[in-house]
Amino acid sequence: MREFLNQWMPIDASAHGHQVDDLIVLTHWLMAVLFVVWGAYFLFCLYRFNAKRHPRADYIGARTHVSTYGELGVAVVEVVLLAGLSIPAWYKWTHLPQKDKNPIEIHVVAEQFAWNIHYPGPDGVFGRSDPKLMSSTNPLGLDPKDPNAKDDIVTLNNLHLPVNRAAVIHVTSKDVIHSFKLPVMRSEQDAIPGMDVPIHFTPIKTNDNGDRWEIACAQLCGLGHYRMRGQLFVHGAAEFDKWMKSAPTAFATQ
Amino acid sequence: MALKRQVRVGNQWMYARDAWRTLEEARRVTLEEERLQQQHELPFIRKYVFSTDHKVIGLQYGFTALCFLLLGFCLMILMRLQLGWPGQAFSVMKLIGAMRAPGGVLLPEAYNQLGAMHGTIMIFLGIVPLAVGAFGNYLVPLQIGAPDMAFPKLNMASYWCYFVGGVIMLSSFFYSGGTANSGWTSYPPLSDIATHGQTFWLCGMVFLITSSLLGSVNFLVTIIQLRAKGMTLMRFPFFVWAQFVTSFLLLLAFPPLEAAAVLQMMDRLAGTSFFLPSGLVVSGQVLPNAGGGNPLLWQHLFWFLAHPEVYVLILPAMGIIAEIIANNTRKPLWGYRSMVGAVIFLGFMSFVVWAHHMFLTGMGTVISAFFQTTTMIISIPSVIVLSALFISLWGGSIRFNTPMLFALAFLPMFGIGGLTGLPLGLATADLHLHDTYYVIGHFHYVVAPGTIFAMFAGVYYWFPKISGRRLNEFWGKVHFWISLVCINGIFFPMFMQGLAGVSRRLYDGGIQYAHAKAIAEQTNPFMSVCAIGLLCAQVPFLINFFYNAILALLGRRNEIANQNPWQATTLEWAATTSPPLGHGNFEVIPVVYRGPYEYSLPDSATDWTPQNQESVEPALPPGGGMLPEVAVAQREM
Amino acid sequence: MDAHAHAIDAGHDHGGHHELEIPFNVAPRPDTGVYNAKLGVWLFLASEVMLFGALFSSLILLRTGAAHWPVGKDTLHVLPATINTFVLILSSVTVVLAWANLRLGDLKMGRIFIGVTLLCGLIFMLIKAYEYNLSFSHEHFPKTNNFFAIYFTMTGLHGLHVLGGMIVFAYFLTFGSKMWKTEPARFTNRIEVVGLYWHFVDLVWIFLFPTLYLL
Ligand code: HEA
Ligand code: HEA
Ligand code: CUA
Ligand SMILES: [Cu+2]
């Protein structure tokens, strides 16, 4: 089943992704078993109880209670999937890594139709931002007077991450609802204006080899929804630092 | 207590105990009226336009809804052309105007309009009015032995509210700003700041909701109050149960959407900020609204309706399928009681699963665990109903006529749709699948080869009842097989796309995305070809339908469509003529002696014993009045 | 048309053409104990509960999420609203009296009480209009903030319900009362049913008043 589904699924480059994939695979097993068993039974009935072959119906019909056990079986498997996999995995998904894991924190602010990616820079503190200051050159409305903002790095549509280090990403939006989706990271979070929701994952593979990994927008956000995409770069630690140093700071151009 | 009460009202005495006598009286009046109506026809407009006869209203609903279904499909054909061959010019696109498709190339904003309208039209203007307004209206009073719905005028008002709602929705196509374009879900802030088409959408929805509310009150009262003598709850045809639960869902789930629509209307027209948080910046401009609102509020109100709504789409379909399967296996439904229990349970549960559409809005563990659990629980009653239908086949004597083919295909198709709901209901799996084509595939399997097939099955099955003519079997089978193949060709690849992570509502089907390009290019043209094939497959149906409908209107019956061509046991067949009498339905209101599906009773000479037949022995049913030879001859077909 | 109106007993004839008699339109069905319209209105009220329930839930959600929420006492006008509460409660009593008198066969008193109920509705609406005006003159509009937004939406929707009830009462006071001559029991039922609706509208106000004005 896993190989079968993997034909279509994007590669999984995250630490938690296998939990998502396991659950998808197991659920599809359940579905396949139900489908095949009922399907075979169904075809048999159509053949065996065709009016030509079986001219007079039996008033009572089936006398077994196998189906009740079947239904119980389905319920049990569902409980296992739920309590054994889905809920624990969701628990991990919604609990951020401890600070001692040294996660890299990033803000992602969606707008029609682009992703603004905001790094705190070397000081590790995000600068203050204010909607009134937003402009095309200052898409996040960072306050130039705020010293914390000076070293912040803001990129458009390009998310750079170091490999094997937890990433905590605060997702929000300036205008309408978008959805921040990283298929290769098995991660997604709606970007909702007025809310700042942190998600986290740990990339375990890099695409320094040139593979194209993308940020997709999964929620209808207007006429440019279909082209609202960004790129994800996962670097080895050294490359990542190199990129950090070379990236222009928020007010570099001003 | 009520039985003993005597009340003097004005100069009339009312004896509650004599209520049954009122029923008798109603029968006499009905007969009387029949006689009168033959002498003095109602004017055309009262009889066919502003009619209060549930059968005429049912037909009005049915015809309008089928037209909307076709329209919804045609909109989708335009979208599928764009998805299959993005950016290419098609001359049919010009039909929707140069401002939406200059030179025949669809614009992204127009794609979004078509998508929102496809979803809205299919659900609110197509399936619900067809499944409830048309089938429910026409059949429920007949099946429970009632002369009409409890409130005939309200019934008429319900249809006309629907009609006005539909006209408002459609008129937005002619408005220069275009139709609503924020998806059928209309999530704010996008919908709050959208063009005026959204206001049309909201107004239209208010009318549609009103229509559904009037209709559902009417259904519930009819089913509870107007049952014929002997029609106890466990003698209801399953279809009646399905309509009963459906009406409860409509009654209780729609008002929150009405509230939401009013709030969104205020946001759009009065400048409030129910759904707008502070500090929104749209295209570089700070919105002037006061802010402080919450966009998730809309989602809660919307899905509180919309999840029960999806069961509104499926329950009547299950009801139709159950009728047809019992009839064409010539045996009672297996596990009728557990099916009834299951749909009632389903009805209750459907109010507590709504947030499974919102797992990725930032939901914590506890709340998500709750909604995942309820979602898994709600899958069990569906499994029970489907299992019961499957097991009903065992020991049957299955006739493969057109309605039965559609009904049989419903089972595995709904199965696929329902099963793919399971990974979506597990939040962790939804993390990858949410808002991808996997979701689109999931629900289309339930609504298209599921509900739409059930609707087709119903049309083929009850057409003789309504018109006195049977639809052509050969063309029916052509319609069935091509539709079955094509519809799977459209929707199955959606699961592959969804697993690949292709988002929904993408104007170009995803070819710009690295992870989606390959699969989109491989499958989209094929799916679009299948969609066109599906459209072509409807041509024999349309011809079959209109040809026979017109001949029936001209009063020409065909011999096969006797009173009761399928030899069915339920009252709509066994106790009335085909087509039924005018207003009033029954010559004599039937008395019910047995359960709905007494097929192949061991002691009976025939393999069907109508509900209104007192003793098992006589081979001839009172209403049907068919010769045994005819009956045998028909069984061969 | 005329010919057939003669043919049947006038009791079954409404407005020029003949209509089908629906069972249990007037007398209750023995096994359920209610007549159709009564069951209908209870179901309708269930849906109304969901409608206002959704709005109340929205109010709670918005309020708990708000950084600052004005207190109704300070910004709204409690006195007219208090008077309005009593006006509505009074009208709930008069509508019961109207029904009771009709049950006793007294159309005259019945009509008087329907009239009083209608008048109460009118007074309520006038006071409400006065209150809206006061708010507007203080530059308080729906768009001012979410408190006023929900205040105007909920009271507005409630006002529409009052208006709907008034139209029905006006109808029964005028054209609608013709039914008394032919079907007094049915007419009495109609007043009972609209009375149930009216109680509900009253009840909604009794919830709205403290939530918006006092808390
Ligand atoms: C009629 C409509 C209908 C029905 C019946 C269902 C039924 C179910 N739905 Fe579906 N759903 C929709 C219509 C429907 N849905 C729509 C329209 C959407 C998308 C809305 C939007 O976003 O636009 C949606 C979206 C949707 C989501 C949100 C996905 C997302 O956005 O990420 C979820 C998540 O839990 C879900 C779950 C379920 C579940 C668990 C069921 C269960 O009730 C299913 C239970 C059924 C079974 C388990 C089948 C049992 C079958 C067998 C045992 C036999 C098998 C045998 C053979 C096949 C031979 N649905
Ligand atoms: C009941 C609901 C319903 C039904 C039946 C359908 C039916 C179909 N849908 Fe639809 N669809 C939705 C509800 C429905 N859809 C919704 C809610 C969405 C999401 C919208 C959004 O994103 O907001 C959607 C989105 C959607 C998409 C995704 C678009 C996107 O995300 O960008 C696609 C893509 O292929 C699609 C295709 C189809 C197709 C090919 C059919 C076919 O199966 C159509 C089959 C139709 C028929 C076979 C017509 C039968 C009628 C007749 C033959 C008429 C007879 C007339 C007379 C006798 C008078 N639909
Ligand atoms: Cu942003 Cu879709
Ligand atoms: Cu749902």
Side-chain angles (χ1 to χ4, degrees):
Chain A
M1 186 62 77
R2 185 180 295 275
E3 288 68 40
F4 180 70
L5 296 180
N6 272 345
Q7 286 179 61
W8 299 292
M9 294 186 49
I11 67 150
D12 163 28
S14 70
H16 75 281
H18 71 273
Q19 292 174 321
V20 176
D21 289 11
D22 288 349
L23 185 60
I24 292 179
V25 166
L26 288 174
T27 317
H28 280 78
W29 267 118
L30 170 68
M31 291 151 64
V33 168
L34 279 170
F35 188 78
V36 169
V37 171
W38 275 119
Y41 160 86
F42 179 59
L43 292 177
F44 174 76
C45 282
L46 297 189
Y47 169 81
R48 174 65 189 79
F49 298 110
N50 187 328
K52 289 201 201 78
R53 227 167 262 112
H54 198 247
R56 173 113 198 173
D58 172 5
Y59 179 73
I60 297 189
R63 285 169 178 79
T64 73
H65 291 280
V66 180
S67 70
T68 315
Y69 301 121
E71 281 147 22
L72 278 177
V74 174
V76 169
V77 177
E78 283 180 356
V79 169
V80 171
L81 292 177
L82 197 63
L85 289 132
S86 188
I87 294 177
W90 195 261
Y91 180 84
K92 281 191 213 145
W93 168 248
T94 48
H95 285 74
L96 297 184
Q98 302 294 321
K99 286 273 177 255
D100 58 352
K101 292 252 176 62
N102 187 26
I104 169 166
E105 283 209 49
I106 298 168
H107 284 188
V108 168
V109 182
E111 72 179 290
Q112 284 175 327
F113 303 100
W115 302 100
N116 297 296
I117 303 188
H118 183 189
Y119 294 81
D123 66 353
V125 185
F126 290 99
R128 201 181 68 84
S129 75
D130 180 345
K132 290 193 198 73
L133 297 174
M134 286 180 186
S135 66
S136 56
T137 48
N138 186 3
L140 295 179
L142 283 177
D143 184 351
K145 294 192 204 82
D146 181 1
N148 291 330
K150 288 273 183 309
D151 61 345
D152 287 10
I153 299 169
V154 178
T155 71
L156 190 67
N157 289 331
N158 289 338
L159 173 61
H160 295 260
L161 292 174
V163 74
N164 293 331
R165 179 170 160 203
V168 171
I169 301 190
H170 295 258
V171 182
T172 186
S173 164
K174 275 160 63 168
D175 40 36
V176 302
I177 300 181
H178 306 260
S179 191
F180 176 76
K181 183 177 176 74
L182 296 170
V184 291
M185 295 295 158
R186 300 293 186 269
S187 299
E188 181 175 347
Q189 170 59 46
D190 285 355
I192 303 168
M195 282 172 75
D196 177 320
V197 187
I199 61 169
H200 69 102
F201 56 86
T202 308
I204 53 172
K205 291 185 186 141
T206 74
N207 62 344
D208 282 336
N209 60 1
D211 279 356
R212 196 179 164 92
W213 291 350
E214 282 177 340
I215 311 170
C217 178
Q219 184 62 262
L220 180 63
C221 52
L223 58 94
H225 164 60
Y226 72 103
R227 56 180 160 78
M228 179 167 164
R229 67 192 204 291
Q231 270 207 76
L232 167 65
F233 303 91
V234 179
H235 306 289
E239 275 94 326
F240 180 74
D241 287 341
K242 211 164 81 200
W243 172 78
M244 255 307 190
K245 293 215 181 69
S246 68
T249 54
F251 300 104
T253 47
Q254 285 174 346
Chain B
M1 201 197 81
L3 291 180
K4 291 216 190 87
R5 208 169 57 212
Q6 277 185 12
V7 192
R8 174 138 203 268
V9 182
N11 51 2
Q12 275 192 346
W13 286 93
M14 250 168 44
Y15 297 90
R17 134 168 58 87
D18 283 351
W20 283 116
R21 198 174 292 160
T22 321
L23 196 58
E24 295 281 328
E25 219 164 85
R27 268 178 226 168
R28 251 183 289 119
V29 175
T30 314
L31 279 178
E32 171 85 338
E33 195 207 22
E34 264 318 303
R35 202 173 52 71
L36 285 168
Q37 279 210 343
Q38 267 144 30
Q39 291 164 12
H40 309 276
E41 287 282 318
L42 287 169
F44 179 84
I45 193 157
R46 294 298 305 263
K47 200 163 170 206
Y48 297 111
V49 184
F50 296 106
S51 170
T52 51
D53 180 352
H54 73 100
K55 297 186 291 302
V56 178
I57 297 173
L59 293 180
Q60 290 175 322
Y61 257 119
F63 188 73
T64 321
L66 279 169
C67 291
F68 273 120
L69 272 188
L70 197 57
L71 174 67
F73 191 16
C74 292
L75 300 182
M76 182 41 71
I77 290 290
L78 300 181
M79 292 171 73
R80 283 274 18 142
L81 286 176
Q82 159 66 20
L83 289 174
W85 302 277
Q88 269 191 37
F90 293 95
S91 43
V92 282
M93 292 289 188
K94 296 194 178 123
L95 287 177
I96 56 171
M99 80 200 174
R100 291 194 181 86
V105 181
L106 193 68
L107 292 176
E109 48 270 49
Y111 180 88
N112 289 348
Q113 293 179 19
L114 293 180
M117 292 315 272
H118 164 75
T120 308
I121 288 179
M122 283 298 194
I123 291 186
F124 295 110
L125 293 165
I127 298 292
V128 175
L130 184 59
V132 182
F135 283 108
N137 235 316
Y138 199 97
L139 295 168
V140 166
L142 288 172
Q143 286 194 329
I144 62 173
D148 198 319
M149 294 284 264
F151 310 112
K153 282 190 194 136
L154 219 57
N155 205 9
M156 176 177 84
S158 157
Y159 172 76
W160 286 104
C161 275
Y162 159 59
F163 190 85
V164 172
V167 168
I168 294 177
M169 287 281 179
L170 287 190
S171 57
S172 65
F173 277 106
F174 303 100
Y175 164 69
S176 59
T179 68
N181 56 15
S182 314
W184 81 290
T185 48
S186 291
Y187 279 5
L190 182 62
S191 57
D192 268 8
I193 59 176
T195 52
H196 289 304
Q198 184 65 23
T199 309
F200 284 81
W201 189 91
L202 291 166
C203 289
M205 284 311 290
V206 168
F207 275 92
L208 295 176
I209 294 170
T210 310
S211 156
S212 284
L213 290 179
L214 297 180
S216 56
V217 169
N218 214 344
F219 275 106
L220 292 169
V221 176
T222 306
I223 295 175
I224 296 171
Q225 293 283 91
L226 302 193
R227 288 167 285 137
K229 207 168 181 171
M231 181 56 91
T232 57
L233 298 187
M234 282 299 143
R235 285 180 183 165
F236 279 174
F238 187 68
F239 180 77
V240 174
W241 272 114
Q243 290 288 345
F244 186 71
V245 176
T246 303
S247 297
F248 260 112
L249 298 185
L250 286 176
L251 185 76
L252 300 178
F254 254 134
L257 184 65
E258 184 143 30
V262 169
L263 297 183
Q264 200 179 91
M265 203 97 90
M266 293 290 287
D267 271 7
R268 294 179 54 84
L269 302 179
T272 59
S273 339
F274 289 116
F275 305 125
L276 300 174
S278 315
L280 285 193
V281 180
V282 178
S283 348
Q285 301 292 312
V286 181
L287 276 197
N289 297 54
N294 184 345
L296 288 188
L297 173 60
W298 168 270
Q299 297 191 17
H300 283 292
L301 293 172
F302 181 85
W303 290 116
F304 188 85
L305 153 91
H307 188 86
E309 173 76 14
V310 307
Y311 289 99
V312 169
L313 301 176
I314 203 69
L315 288 176
M318 286 175 171
I320 292 174
I321 297 303
E323 298 297 298
I324 294 174
I325 285 192
N327 177 267
N328 287 303
T329 53
R330 315 304 295 162
K331 64 184 280 300
L333 285 180
W334 190 90
Y336 169 83
R337 277 170 175 276
S338 51
M339 284 171 74
V340 171
V343 289
I344 294 175
F345 183 61
L346 193 83
F348 277 109
M349 288 304 293
S350 69
F351 286 102
V352 287
V353 299
W354 79 90
H356 67 202
H357 298 271
M358 301 166 59
F359 283 141
L360 300 185
T361 53
M363 199 184 276
T365 317
V366 179
I367 296 181
S368 97
F370 174 80
F371 283 104
Q372 294 179 66
T373 311
T374 53
T375 304
M376 289 302 111
I377 293 175
I378 205 173
S379 69
I380 300 294
S382 301
V383 172
I384 292 177
V385 172
L386 213 64
S387 304
L389 290 173
F390 271 127
I391 297 175
S392 296
L393 300 176
W394 188 270
S397 172
I398 302 174
R399 307 188 297 204
F400 291 91
N401 43 40
T402 310
M404 185 62 166
L405 287 177
F406 276 107
L408 288 172
F410 171 91
L411 299 176
M413 294 295 111
F414 173 74
I416 296 178
L419 290 173
T420 48
L422 298 179
L424 298 177
L426 296 164
T428 303
D430 198 39
L431 201 49
H432 182 56
L433 300 173
H434 177 64
D435 268 335
T436 64
Y437 265 89
Y438 199 92
V439 178
I440 304 281
H442 152 65
F443 74 78
H444 278 89
Y445 260 98
V446 248
V447 295
T451 305
I452 288 213
F453 271 24
M455 297 299 127
F456 283 142
V459 170
Y460 281 98
Y461 184 70
W462 279 295
F463 196 86
K465 172 85 265 162
I466 292 162
S467 68
R469 286 184 69 85
R470 228 172 107 171
L471 290 172
N472 181 292
E473 275 288 296
F474 174 77
W475 290 110
K477 284 176 182 164
V478 170
H479 176 210
F480 169 73
W481 284 110
I482 306 183
S483 296
L484 181 68
V485 171
C486 289
I487 217 160
N488 279 287
I490 306 171
F491 297 123
F492 203 81
M494 289 187 177
F495 297 126
M496 309 173 193
Q497 295 191 348
L499 286 168
V502 183
S503 301
R504 57 193 286 199
R505 294 162 166 172
L506 295 176
Y507 162 67
D508 59 4
I511 51 168
Q512 297 205 16
Y513 281 105
H515 63 273
K517 187 174 186 345
I519 184 83
E521 280 176 350
Q522 268 167 31
T523 49
N524 271 336
F526 170 74
M527 291 154 72
S528 298
V529 169
C530 288
I532 296 166
L534 181 63
L535 186 64
C536 298
Q538 308 311 311
V539 175
F541 172 67
L542 284 172
I543 296 175
N544 202 353
F545 183 93
F546 282 109
Y547 174 78
N548 284 292
I550 289 168
L551 286 187
L553 281 179
L554 298 175
R556 304 238 315 262
R557 315 222 166 155
N558 58 9
E559 326 73 65
I560 339 165
N562 230 299
Q563 305 288 10
N564 188 349
W566 318 110
Q567 295 159 317
T569 50
T570 40
L571 291 185
E572 86 273 26
W573 294 104
T576 66
T577 52
S578 302
L581 296 176
H583 210 169
N585 292 343
F586 299 96
E587 277 156 45
V588 179
I589 299 259
V591 176
V592 175
Y593 297 101
R594 55 190 69 251
Y597 308 115
E598 294 296 82
Y599 290 103
S600 305
L601 267 180
D603 326 322
S604 164
T606 58
D607 69 352
W608 52 301
T609 313
Q611 281 194 280
N612 58 339
Q613 183 177 312
E614 193 163 2
S615 65
V616 174
E617 245 349 281
L620 280 183
M626 198 187 304
L627 294 174
E629 302 88 86
V630 183
V632 171
Q634 276 187 26
R635 296 230 32 223
E636 309 292 290
M637 291 178 323
Chain C
M1 276 321 240
D2 269 12
H4 104 249
H6 284 297
I8 34 171
D9 162 42
H12 296 298
D13 190 50
H14 325 287
H17 88 280
H18 180 68
E19 286 199 13
L20 178 70
E21 191 83 355
I22 302 292
F24 312 115
N25 229 349
V26 183
R29 180 177 164 118
D31 55 357
T32 59
V34 283
Y35 56 89
N36 298 344
K38 194 160 172 179
L39 180 61
V41 81
W42 277 114
L43 290 167
F44 173 69
L45 293 183
S47 92
E48 292 278 276
V49 169
M50 297 301 288
L51 176 69
F52 282 98
L55 288 171
F56 274 105
S57 317
S58 307
L59 166 66
I60 293 169
L61 197 108
L62 289 172
R63 186 171 180 166
T64 48
H68 165 73
W69 192 261
V71 180
K73 274 201 288 280
D74 308 338
T75 38
L76 297 176
H77 311 281
V78 182
L79 181 65
T82 317
I83 298 174
N84 254 348
T85 311
F86 286 109
V87 171
L88 270 195
I89 292 177
L90 177 67
S91 75
S92 259
V93 177
T94 55
V95 78
V96 175
L97 289 175
W99 174 66
N101 276 293
L102 292 175
R103 285 275 303 229
L104 295 172
D106 190 343
L107 178 66
K108 191 160 157 263
M109 284 311 280
R111 288 182 66 158
I112 289 178
F113 281 115
I114 297 177
V116 175
T117 314
L118 180 59
L119 195 69
C120 287
L122 190 67
I123 294 173
F124 177 89
M125 292 300 274
L126 288 175
I127 296 182
K128 198 78 230 166
Y130 165 75
E131 241 194 285
Y132 272 19
N133 249 327
L134 272 183
S135 291
F136 293 153
S137 66
H138 288 93
E139 297 287 305
H140 290 155
F141 298 106
K143 64 174 181 229
T144 307
N145 59 36
N146 268 338
F147 170 73
F148 282 106
I150 196 93
Y151 162 76
F152 280 109
T153 309
M154 291 184 82
T155 54
L157 206 63
H158 175 262
L160 281 181
H161 279 75
V162 174
L163 195 65
M166 284 168 61
I167 292 173
V168 176
F169 283 127
Y171 170 75
F172 286 141
L173 204 56
T174 53
F175 312 107
S177 65
K178 267 190 235 137
M179 182 185 265
W180 178 262
K181 293 205 195 76
T182 52
E183 292 173 284
R186 190 155 173 218
F187 184 70
T188 311
N189 282 351
R190 291 192 158 182
I191 299 299
E192 183 182 13
V193 162
V194 58
L196 285 171
Y197 167 81
W198 195 251
H199 294 324
F200 173 80
V201 174
D202 191 3
L203 192 71
V204 170
W205 178 256
I206 290 182
F207 277 96
L208 279 175
F209 177 59
T211 1
L212 291 173
Y213 289 83
L214 305 181
L215 291 177

